[in-house]
mmCIF file of all heavy atoms in Angstrom:
data_model
loop_
_atom_site.group_PDB
_atom_site.id
_atom_site.type_symbol
_atom_site.label_atom_id
_atom_site.label_comp_id
_atom_site.label_asym_id
_atom_site.label_seq_id
_atom_site.Cartn_x
_atom_site.Cartn_y
_atom_site.Cartn_z
ATOM 1 N N VAL J 194 -2.687 -2.914 -2.055
ATOM 2 C CA VAL J 194 -3.491 -2.034 -2.906
ATOM 3 C C VAL J 194 -3.291 -0.583 -2.455
ATOM 4 O O VAL J 194 -3.178 0.328 -3.286
ATOM 5 C CB VAL J 194 -4.987 -2.427 -2.834
ATOM 6 C CG1 VAL J 194 -5.867 -1.340 -3.424
ATOM 7 C CG2 VAL J 194 -5.207 -3.747 -3.571
ATOM 8 N N GLY J 195 -3.222 -0.361 -1.153
ATOM 9 C CA GLY J 195 -2.997 0.983 -0.630
ATOM 10 C C GLY J 195 -1.659 1.535 -1.072
ATOM 11 O O GLY J 195 -1.534 2.724 -1.391
ATOM 12 N N ASP J 196 -0.652 0.692 -1.101
ATOM 13 C CA ASP J 196 0.679 1.120 -1.524
ATOM 14 C C ASP J 196 0.660 1.556 -2.996
ATOM 15 O O ASP J 196 1.185 2.618 -3.359
ATOM 16 C CB ASP J 196 1.663 -0.051 -1.329
ATOM 17 C CG ASP J 196 3.089 0.420 -1.193
ATOM 18 O OD1 ASP J 196 3.299 1.593 -0.832
ATOM 19 O OD2 ASP J 196 3.999 -0.386 -1.461
ATOM 20 N N ALA J 197 0.026 0.711 -3.818
ATOM 21 C CA ALA J 197 -0.046 1.040 -5.253
ATOM 22 C C ALA J 197 -0.827 2.332 -5.470
ATOM 23 O O ALA J 197 -0.393 3.218 -6.221
ATOM 24 C CB ALA J 197 -0.702 -0.117 -6.008
ATOM 25 N N LEU J 198 -1.968 2.463 -4.787
ATOM 26 C CA LEU J 198 -2.768 3.679 -4.963
ATOM 27 C C LEU J 198 -2.043 4.901 -4.393
ATOM 28 O O LEU J 198 -2.224 6.020 -4.874
ATOM 29 C CB LEU J 198 -4.144 3.508 -4.298
ATOM 30 C CG LEU J 198 -5.071 2.497 -4.980
ATOM 31 C CD1 LEU J 198 -6.365 2.333 -4.183
ATOM 32 C CD2 LEU J 198 -5.394 2.940 -6.408
ATOM 33 N N GLY J 199 -1.222 4.702 -3.382
ATOM 34 C CA GLY J 199 -0.424 5.806 -2.845
ATOM 35 C C GLY J 199 0.516 6.371 -3.900
ATOM 36 O O GLY J 199 0.597 7.597 -4.096
ATOM 37 N N HIS J 200 1.196 5.506 -4.600
ATOM 38 C CA HIS J 200 2.115 5.964 -5.642
ATOM 39 C C HIS J 200 1.359 6.617 -6.797
ATOM 40 O O HIS J 200 1.826 7.601 -7.380
ATOM 41 C CB HIS J 200 2.966 4.796 -6.142
ATOM 42 C CG HIS J 200 4.045 4.397 -5.180
ATOM 43 N ND1 HIS J 200 3.774 3.766 -3.980
ATOM 44 C CD2 HIS J 200 5.390 4.574 -5.223
ATOM 45 C CE1 HIS J 200 4.913 3.557 -3.333
ATOM 46 N NE2 HIS J 200 5.903 4.036 -4.062
ATOM 47 N N VAL J 201 0.176 6.062 -7.105
ATOM 48 C CA VAL J 201 -0.648 6.686 -8.144
ATOM 49 C C VAL J 201 -1.071 8.077 -7.691
ATOM 50 O O VAL J 201 -1.134 9.017 -8.493
ATOM 51 C CB VAL J 201 -1.891 5.817 -8.445
ATOM 52 C CG1 VAL J 201 -2.886 6.572 -9.312
ATOM 53 C CG2 VAL J 201 -1.472 4.525 -9.128
ATOM 54 N N THR J 202 -1.355 8.215 -6.403
ATOM 55 C CA THR J 202 -1.790 9.511 -5.886
ATOM 56 C C THR J 202 -0.687 10.564 -6.045
ATOM 57 O O THR J 202 -0.979 11.739 -6.291
ATOM 58 C CB THR J 202 -2.213 9.375 -4.405
ATOM 59 O OG1 THR J 202 -3.292 8.456 -4.343
ATOM 60 C CG2 THR J 202 -2.647 10.702 -3.823
ATOM 61 N N PHE J 203 0.557 10.136 -5.911
ATOM 62 C CA PHE J 203 1.647 11.077 -6.176
ATOM 63 C C PHE J 203 1.550 11.571 -7.623
ATOM 64 O O PHE J 203 1.671 12.777 -7.884
ATOM 65 C CB PHE J 203 3.004 10.411 -5.932
ATOM 66 C CG PHE J 203 4.165 11.299 -6.286
ATOM 67 C CD1 PHE J 203 4.508 12.361 -5.469
ATOM 68 C CD2 PHE J 203 4.884 11.099 -7.455
ATOM 69 C CE1 PHE J 203 5.566 13.205 -5.799
ATOM 70 C CE2 PHE J 203 5.940 11.930 -7.800
ATOM 71 C CZ PHE J 203 6.281 12.980 -6.966
ATOM 72 N N GLY J 204 1.327 10.637 -8.533
ATOM 73 C CA GLY J 204 1.117 11.028 -9.935
ATOM 74 C C GLY J 204 -0.081 11.949 -10.057
ATOM 75 O O GLY J 204 -0.057 12.928 -10.818
ATOM 76 N N GLY J 205 -1.128 11.661 -9.280
ATOM 77 C CA GLY J 205 -2.334 12.488 -9.320
ATOM 78 C C GLY J 205 -2.088 13.902 -8.835
ATOM 79 O O GLY J 205 -2.591 14.875 -9.411
ATOM 80 N N VAL J 206 -1.310 14.034 -7.765
ATOM 81 C CA VAL J 206 -0.964 15.376 -7.269
ATOM 82 C C VAL J 206 -0.165 16.135 -8.341
ATOM 83 O O VAL J 206 -0.401 17.329 -8.587
ATOM 84 C CB VAL J 206 -0.152 15.281 -5.956
ATOM 85 C CG1 VAL J 206 0.410 16.649 -5.562
ATOM 86 C CG2 VAL J 206 -1.024 14.742 -4.833
ATOM 87 N N ALA J 207 0.746 15.403 -8.967
ATOM 88 C CA ALA J 207 1.548 16.033 -10.024
ATOM 89 C C ALA J 207 0.648 16.490 -11.171
ATOM 90 O O ALA J 207 0.817 17.600 -11.700
ATOM 91 C CB ALA J 207 2.602 15.037 -10.525
ATOM 92 N N VAL J 208 -0.312 15.637 -11.534
ATOM 93 C CA VAL J 208 -1.271 16.039 -12.574
ATOM 94 C C VAL J 208 -2.024 17.288 -12.105
ATOM 95 O O VAL J 208 -2.314 18.194 -12.894
ATOM 96 C CB VAL J 208 -2.263 14.885 -12.886
ATOM 97 C CG1 VAL J 208 -3.400 15.363 -13.789
ATOM 98 C CG2 VAL J 208 -1.529 13.720 -13.533
ATOM 99 N N GLY J 209 -2.334 17.341 -10.795
ATOM 100 C CA GLY J 209 -3.003 18.517 -10.238
ATOM 101 C C GLY J 209 -2.187 19.784 -10.444
ATOM 102 O O GLY J 209 -2.734 20.839 -10.800
ATOM 103 N N PHE J 210 -0.874 19.698 -10.223
ATOM 104 C CA PHE J 210 -0.018 20.866 -10.450
ATOM 105 C C PHE J 210 0.051 21.202 -11.938
ATOM 106 O O PHE J 210 0.127 22.371 -12.318
ATOM 107 C CB PHE J 210 1.382 20.614 -9.887
ATOM 108 C CG PHE J 210 1.415 20.617 -8.385
ATOM 109 C CD1 PHE J 210 1.924 19.537 -7.678
ATOM 110 C CD2 PHE J 210 0.919 21.696 -7.670
ATOM 111 C CE1 PHE J 210 1.940 19.527 -6.288
ATOM 112 C CE2 PHE J 210 0.930 21.705 -6.276
ATOM 113 C CZ PHE J 210 1.435 20.614 -5.592
ATOM 114 N N LEU J 211 0.025 20.176 -12.769
ATOM 115 C CA LEU J 211 0.029 20.397 -14.216
ATOM 116 C C LEU J 211 -1.245 21.123 -14.641
ATOM 117 O O LEU J 211 -1.206 22.099 -15.413
ATOM 118 C CB LEU J 211 0.152 19.052 -14.947
ATOM 119 C CG LEU J 211 0.158 19.092 -16.479
ATOM 120 C CD1 LEU J 211 1.403 19.806 -16.995
ATOM 121 C CD2 LEU J 211 0.104 17.674 -17.054
ATOM 122 N N VAL J 212 -2.373 20.645 -14.110
ATOM 123 C CA VAL J 212 -3.659 21.275 -14.414
ATOM 124 C C VAL J 212 -3.649 22.733 -13.952
ATOM 125 O O VAL J 212 -4.115 23.642 -14.658
ATOM 126 C CB VAL J 212 -4.812 20.495 -13.738
ATOM 127 C CG1 VAL J 212 -6.124 21.281 -13.798
ATOM 128 C CG2 VAL J 212 -4.982 19.126 -14.386
ATOM 129 N N ALA J 213 -3.087 22.961 -12.760
ATOM 130 C CA ALA J 213 -3.007 24.332 -12.232
ATOM 131 C C ALA J 213 -2.183 25.207 -13.165
ATOM 132 O O ALA J 213 -2.544 26.370 -13.433
ATOM 133 C CB ALA J 213 -2.398 24.318 -10.832
ATOM 134 N N ALA J 214 -1.082 24.668 -13.672
ATOM 135 C CA ALA J 214 -0.203 25.448 -14.543
ATOM 136 C C ALA J 214 -0.856 25.721 -15.889
ATOM 137 O O ALA J 214 -0.691 26.794 -16.470
ATOM 138 C CB ALA J 214 1.124 24.692 -14.746
ATOM 139 N N VAL J 215 -1.656 24.761 -16.370
ATOM 140 C CA VAL J 215 -2.203 24.890 -17.730
ATOM 141 C C VAL J 215 -3.529 25.642 -17.728
ATOM 142 O O VAL J 215 -3.738 26.546 -18.547
ATOM 143 C CB VAL J 215 -2.380 23.484 -18.368
ATOM 144 C CG1 VAL J 215 -3.089 23.584 -19.714
ATOM 145 C CG2 VAL J 215 -1.026 22.813 -18.530
ATOM 146 N N VAL J 216 -4.449 25.273 -16.813
ATOM 147 C CA VAL J 216 -5.782 25.894 -16.861
ATOM 148 C C VAL J 216 -6.090 26.741 -15.631
ATOM 149 O O VAL J 216 -7.155 27.340 -15.544
ATOM 150 C CB VAL J 216 -6.891 24.830 -17.045
ATOM 151 C CG1 VAL J 216 -6.701 24.066 -18.339
ATOM 152 C CG2 VAL J 216 -6.952 23.891 -15.854
#
Side-chain angles (χ1 to χ4, degrees):
Chain J
V194 166
D196 203 22
L198 291 176
H200 285 71
V201 169
T202 299
F203 176 74
V206 170
V208 171
F210 288 125
L211 179 66
V212 168
V215 174
V216 300

